[in-house]
């Protein structure tokens, strides 16, 4: 649907409720108006900037009267940084908005028959809860409204932080981030200060020029820490100078990697991660299990909530100790190993070969002998012949990427007809689409949203399915 740019001012509009994508909504002459950074109960003037046939999009021009529920944002970067959009929204309202989001996707839009959707499981920590962050270097940082571009010296144009909104080439220089615990902020600020002082050329994503590109920090609840610094090309003297300096300044870094990435995007899945100092992995604990995390390993980014999420999945599976369980999109085998003590056999399948290598090593380290792991594209690996060889699943657990599952995978699952399924999803919209396919043979018996990302609109959702009589 085409959208036209407009410039209309709507005055004294009462914000009615939270909406999709972290926005809120109100109505004007029967038309839905979406606006970010608003709280239900706010009375605001809205500048409409886009409109389509059925809805408008706008921004807050002025808060005429704040909602009684509105909170003061705790982060100085609120409103410019693309994350943590719900800071003004009290946490209990965030949780209800996420439950409502699941309900909308499954029931109102998906027309699925579901039992009463449970209240969203809250996160014990709503600040400093992430175990992984990526920061981007930019030679042309985002300038604030009060900054004059002509008066800023070149060395002050360098930035290290997050991309701004939908701008792929705009990076906001972050002073303090409330997403990851110490020493994340200190490491980031030290690296920026060192890079500026030593004349490092920050990357220009438009021109694909520069030296230092991006960096990843991974932390664990076991106090281990991994740092990965990515460079656009090799300059051994500069690279080693930086890595040695950060290693000396932060001896708590368990694993220090670097990557030479000369391609046009920042993804590291196809890159060589080179260990500069320390151990090749860090470890995280969950119940009585330990998981090794490498530079490319997937692990839920909120460790404490991951335990709650996987506990829900295990409970929904209703395992008795004899079942054959298929854990599809197993990653490093966390769910597979988490449920293994209550299953007869667990088969894990994952696209990323490095993740499967970690899964085998994790299972060995944890003394688990009833798990097997296989790498490859799900629609190719999960076939009738594979199931014939490894046994028909009694239970299938799914935790796919945001896009959901391939139709061929759904077809194979329906043909295998396990007694129960557990579908874990970070995208209730694609989950609802897939559940509609399964509804020909399965009924949904439980729905549990889990909050993995406080102050954002994102929600994980777990559905239990049982084969119809």
């Amino acid at each position: 649907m085409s959208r036209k740019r407009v410039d209309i001012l709507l005055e004294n509009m009462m914000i009615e409720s939270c909406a999709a994508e972290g926005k809120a909504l109100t109505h004007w002459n029967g038309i839905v108006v979406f606006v970010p950074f608003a709280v239900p109960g706010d009375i605001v003037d809205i500048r409409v900037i886009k409109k389509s046939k059925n809805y408008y999009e706008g921004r807050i021009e002025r808060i005429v009267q704040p909602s009684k529920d509105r909170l003061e944002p705790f982060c100085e970067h609120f409103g410019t940084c693309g994350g943590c959009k719900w800071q003004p929204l009290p946490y209990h309202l965030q949780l209800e908005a996420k439950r409502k989001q699941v309900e909308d996707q499954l029931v109102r839009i998906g027309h699925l028959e579901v039992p009463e959707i449970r209240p969203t499981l809250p996160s014990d920590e709503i600040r400093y809860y992430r175990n992984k962050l990526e920061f981007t270097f930019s030679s042309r940082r985002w300038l604030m409204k009060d900054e004059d571009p002509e008066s800023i010296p070149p060395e002050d144009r360098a930035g290290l932080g997050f991309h701004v909104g939908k701008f792929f080439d705009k990076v906001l220089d972050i002073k303090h981030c409330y997403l990851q615990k110490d020493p994340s902020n200190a490491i980031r600020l030290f690296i920026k200060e060192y890079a500026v002082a030593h004349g490092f050329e920050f990357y220009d994503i438009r021109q694909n020029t520069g030296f230092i590109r991006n960096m990843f920090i991974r932390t664990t609840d076991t106090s281990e820490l991994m740092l990965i610094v990515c460079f656009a090309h090799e300059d051994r003297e500069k690279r080693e100078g930086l890595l040695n300096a950060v290693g000396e300044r932060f001896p708590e870094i368990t694993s220090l990697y670097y990557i030479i990435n000369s391609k046009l995007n920042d993804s590291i899945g196809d890159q060589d991660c080179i260990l500069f100092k320390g151990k090749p992995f860090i470890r995280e604990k969950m119940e009585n299990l330990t998981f090794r995390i490498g530079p490319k390993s997937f692990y839920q980014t909120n460790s404490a909530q991951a335990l709650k999420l996987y506990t829900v999945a295990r409970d929904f599976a209703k395992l008795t100790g004899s079942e054959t369980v298929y854990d599809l999109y197993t990653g490093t085998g966390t769910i597979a190993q988490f449920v293994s003590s209550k299953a007869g056999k667990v088969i894990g399948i994952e696209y990323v070969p490095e993740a499967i290598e970690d899964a085998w090593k994790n299972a060995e380290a944890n003394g688990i002998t009833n798990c097997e792991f296989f790498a490859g594209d799900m629609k190719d690996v999960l076939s009738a012949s594979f199931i014939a060889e490894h046994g028909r699943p009694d239970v299938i657990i799914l935790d796919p990427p945001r896009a959901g599952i391939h139709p061929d995978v759904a077809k194979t699952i329906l043909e295998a007809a396990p007694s129960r399924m557990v579908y874990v999803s970070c995208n209730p919209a694609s989950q609802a689409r897939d559940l509609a396919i399964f509804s020909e043979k399965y009924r949904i018996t439980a729905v549990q949203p889990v909050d993995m990302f406080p102050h954002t609109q994102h929600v994980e959702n777990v559905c239990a399915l049982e084969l119809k009589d």
Side-chain angles (χ1 to χ4, degrees):
M1 182 180 295
S2 63
R3 294 183 296 181
K4 298 180 180 178
R5 286 202 165 272
V6 292
D7 192 0
I8 302 171
L9 183 65
L10 307 179
E11 297 183 306
N12 296 309
M13 302 296 295
M14 170 74 80
I15 299 299
E16 300 166 16
S17 64
C18 296
E21 300 178 359
K23 299 173 183 176
L25 66 80
T26 184
H27 288 80
W28 179 75
N29 290 346
I31 298 173
V32 176
V33 182
F34 294 106
V35 57
F37 307 120
V39 173
D42 280 345
I43 298 175
V44 296
D45 294 342
I46 300 173
R47 178 73 62 183
V48 178
I49 53 177
K50 292 181 182 178
K51 70 175 183 177
S52 69
K53 182 179 180 181
N54 298 317
Y55 64 89
Y56 288 175
E57 293 185 29
R59 65 170 182 265
I60 295 177
E61 189 84 353
R62 179 172 71 102
I63 298 178
V64 178
Q65 180 179 323
S67 166
K68 63 179 178 60
D69 293 318
R70 174 175 278 275
L71 301 176
E72 187 67 25
F74 52 82
C75 178
E76 65 179 291
H77 303 299
F78 173 78
T80 306
C81 173
C84 303
K85 296 177 181 178
W86 277 357
Q87 289 179 45
L89 194 65
Y91 190 51
H92 72 280
L93 295 182
Q94 295 181 32
L95 296 173
E96 173 55 24
K98 296 185 183 196
R99 190 204 66 80
K100 184 65 166 56
Q101 181 186 149
V102 170
E103 183 179 60
D104 284 346
Q105 291 296 339
L106 269 58
V107 180
R108 185 178 64 84
I109 300 172
H111 307 293
L112 296 167
E113 292 186 16
V114 303
E116 183 177 356
I117 297 172
R118 303 177 183 188
T120 307
L121 279 181
S123 176
D124 294 333
E125 301 294 335
I126 61 174
R127 302 185 192 181
Y128 306 113
Y129 59 83
R130 285 186 67 105
N131 58 41
K132 179 184 177 183
L133 282 180
E134 176 184 357
F135 302 102
T136 301
F137 294 85
S138 175
S139 61
R140 295 184 292 179
R141 65 174 174 84
W142 179 265
L143 299 182
M144 307 306 289
K145 290 181 179 180
D146 58 351
E147 292 186 286
D148 177 14
E150 301 299 325
S151 63
I152 299 175
E155 62 270 19
D156 288 342
R157 288 303 304 268
L160 174 57
F162 300 127
H163 289 275
V164 176
K166 298 178 180 178
F167 296 97
F168 82 96
D169 61 335
K170 302 296 184 183
V171 172
L172 177 67
D173 191 54
I174 299 293
K175 303 295 187 294
H176 184 92
C177 180
Y178 289 87
L179 286 173
Q180 192 174 36
K181 63 185 179 181
D182 290 337
S184 177
N185 281 296
I187 290 174
R188 185 190 70 256
L189 294 173
F190 174 84
I191 289 178
K192 185 197 172 185
E193 181 181 346
Y194 180 98
V196 170
H198 289 79
F200 284 21
E201 187 180 359
F202 283 35
Y203 198 68
D204 185 323
I205 196 169
R206 280 191 174 274
Q207 302 297 324
N208 297 302
T209 58
F211 174 56
I212 191 164
R213 291 188 65 153
N214 58 316
M215 56 179 279
F216 301 81
I217 300 177
R218 305 188 77 152
T219 56
T220 69
D221 289 340
T222 60
S223 299
E224 295 188 349
L225 189 151
M226 176 180 289
L227 171 64
I228 308 166
V229 184
C230 303
F231 304 93
H233 57 84
E234 176 65 294
D235 185 324
R236 182 173 178 176
E237 183 179 354
K238 285 186 175 181
R239 172 179 58 76
E240 290 189 348
L242 170 62
L243 297 178
N244 280 320
V246 74
E248 291 171 6
R249 173 64 178 80
F250 299 96
E252 59 267 49
I253 294 175
T254 311
S255 180
L256 179 55
Y257 276 91
Y258 72 92
I259 295 171
I260 307 298
N261 177 14
S262 59
K263 61 190 180 71
L264 299 184
N265 64 68
D266 288 333
S267 64
I268 67 170
D270 57 350
Q271 298 294 292
D272 291 329
C273 299
I274 304 168
L275 182 65
F276 181 79
K277 182 181 180 181
K279 298 178 181 179
F281 53 83
I282 54 177
R283 294 188 181 276
E284 185 62 287
K285 282 190 173 293
M286 184 180 291
E287 285 192 339
N288 61 335
L289 302 174
T290 300
F291 297 99
R292 53 184 284 163
I293 300 170
K296 298 182 184 180
S297 298
F298 171 79
Y299 195 84
Q300 291 285 352
T301 51
N302 185 333
S303 298
Q305 285 301 95
L307 174 58
K308 294 183 183 180
L309 181 73
Y310 295 163
T311 299
V312 171
R314 186 172 62 190
D315 291 345
F316 281 6
K318 297 181 179 179
L319 301 175
T320 64
S322 61
E323 293 87 354
T324 295
V325 179
Y326 279 30
D327 178 26
L328 307 185
Y329 312 94
T330 190
T332 55
T334 44
I335 293 181
Q337 294 171 67
F338 192 73
V339 305
S340 63
S341 64
K342 296 182 178 294
K345 179 172 70 171
V346 185
I347 303 293
I349 305 174
E350 166 63 37
Y351 179 76
V352 181
E354 292 91 347
I356 290 299
E357 291 176 15
D358 284 341
W360 279 110
K361 292 172 182 175
N362 284 329
E364 181 181 4
N366 287 315
I368 295 172
T369 58
N370 64 337
C371 288
E372 297 181 70
F373 300 101
F374 301 87
D377 192 314
M378 189 65 63
K379 64 181 174 58
D380 299 327
V381 176
L382 187 68
S383 63
S385 60
F386 181 93
I387 292 171
E389 180 180 353
H390 297 282
R392 174 183 168 274
D394 300 298
V395 177
I396 286 181
I397 300 176
L398 297 144
D399 188 5
R402 288 190 62 81
I405 65 175
H406 191 280
D408 290 349
V409 175
K411 180 181 178 182
T412 303
I413 291 173
L414 287 171
E415 290 172 351
S419 299
R420 294 180 298 283
M421 286 198 288
V422 180
Y423 193 144
V424 182
S425 175
C426 61
N427 183 0
S430 61
Q431 185 183 42
R433 179 203 65 209
D434 296 338
L435 291 173
I437 297 172
F438 293 138
S439 66
E440 66 175 77
K441 283 190 176 183
Y442 290 85
R443 59 189 178 90
I444 301 169
T445 58
V447 181
Q448 177 64 73
V450 181
D451 185 23
M452 304 291 285
F453 307 106
H455 306 304
T456 79
Q457 73 274 19
H458 301 295
V459 61
E460 292 271 342
N461 189 48
V462 190
C463 288
L465 294 85
E466 293 187 2
L467 198 61
K468 294 178 182 177
D469 296 334

